[in-house]
Amino acid sequence: MLLPTVPRIRLRSAVQPAIDTPFGPLTFTTAIGNTGLPLLPDELFELPGGRTVARWVRPAARVELLLTPYDPELCPETWGPLTDCRAAVWRIDAFAPFGRVQFSAGLSARLPEGVDAGYDGGQALAAITVEDEKTRLTVGGDDAEAICWAADAGEVPRRWAALIDEVYNHSFSTWGVDFGHNGMSWTLPPLEAGDHCELPVIAAWAPVTDESANTWYAVMASPTVLLRQVAAESAQRADAPEAG
């Protein structure tokens, strides 16, 4: 379960979770086996600071999606300021074995003429960058190598660490990250009952005239870092004295 100690309010009506970007909403989908989850969650909760957690519950799995503002704390002496940065943490808790689970993040609007978009990954980062004459947007998350490394932090099943040999030998074909102009899709290795997995997705945008690659470096956080920041900021809000 995501952030079990952070206070939350259940919202009466659920909406499709999305991150608003300059190039339209960044939306998310999940498929378990051959079955896609509905776009609208079963439950939606509001957390402090304008954050939300969406939840889908099925007999064989629980899926949660946190949407949150994110401060990547880029050094101002090296990186230009971001216009904005938003993050998602996707978590699945498996109650039964699954041979295939897929999670996707993509811009739902068709990109207009004159917008460049393409793969921009590297250094254990899966990413795309979209830009026009004014704005550069980078959307990033874990690539296959980073997914294996995440086992050491307990963000994915421990046995996935051994899959790094498949990545280095380019012998994996049933799991990994697929790219399109508008987004990315993660297909996970098999999950067993009792497993959980957390994946980050970060969207950062800035003026295209900034040449410091700030949006690229902003999207390199792990889910542990994202969740720690949310928990810390929520605790600060709870401890702050009430106005008046």
Side-chain angles (χ1 to χ4, degrees), residues 94-221:
F95 307 140
F98 292 109
R100 181 180 180 275
V101 177
Q102 190 175 64
F103 173 65
S104 299
L107 297 170
S108 58
R110 181 169 181 170
L111 298 177
E113 294 289 335
V115 175
D116 293 324
Y119 171 78
D120 198 17
Q123 299 182 11
L125 176 70
I128 63 166
T129 290
V130 182
E131 62 180 53
D132 59 14
E133 71 279 2
K134 295 181 180 179
T135 302
R136 179 177 64 252
L137 165 71
T138 301
V139 179
D142 287 354
D143 69 0
E145 184 179 37
I147 288 174
C148 295
W149 290 349
D152 292 334
E155 296 163 352
V156 304
R158 296 286 183 183
R159 65 182 180 279
W160 289 7
L163 300 177
I164 196 67
D165 291 337
E166 296 183 11
V167 178
Y168 292 153
N169 295 332
H170 302 285
S171 60
F172 65 106
S173 60
T174 60
W175 66 278
V177 188
D178 295 315
F179 296 88
H181 289 298
N182 286 29
M184 294 170 287
S185 180
W186 289 262
T187 301
L188 302 182
L191 289 164
E192 300 293 336
D195 285 345
H196 79 270
C197 174
E198 294 173 350
L199 288 180
V201 178
I202 304 172
W205 55 98
V208 74
T209 52
D210 190 307
E211 299 181 355
S212 67
N214 51 353
T215 61
W216 197 84
Y217 280 91
V219 301
M220 299 181 72

Side-chain angles (χ1 to χ4, degrees), residues 3 9-10 12 21 27 33 48 66-67 83 105-106 114 118 148 153 155 182:
L3 300 167
I9 298 172
R10 182 170 181 172
R12 291 187 176 183
T21 82
T27 58
L66 166 73
L67 299 184
T83 304
C148 295
E155 296 163 352
N182 286 29

Side-chain angles (χ1 to χ4, degrees), residues 62-122:
R62 178 178 62 225
V63 175
E64 293 178 301
L65 182 66
L66 166 73
L67 299 184
T68 177
Y70 172 54
D71 180 4
E73 300 180 350
L74 299 178
C75 175
E77 296 181 359
T78 305
W79 314 111
L82 297 170
T83 304
D84 205 352
C85 188
R86 301 277 163 164
V89 176
W90 176 83
R91 175 172 173 131
I92 180 169
D93 288 278
F95 307 140
F98 292 109
R100 181 180 180 275
V101 177
Q102 190 175 64
F103 173 65
S104 299
L107 297 170
S108 58
R110 181 169 181 170
L111 298 177
E113 294 289 335
V115 175
D116 293 324
Y119 171 78
D120 198 17

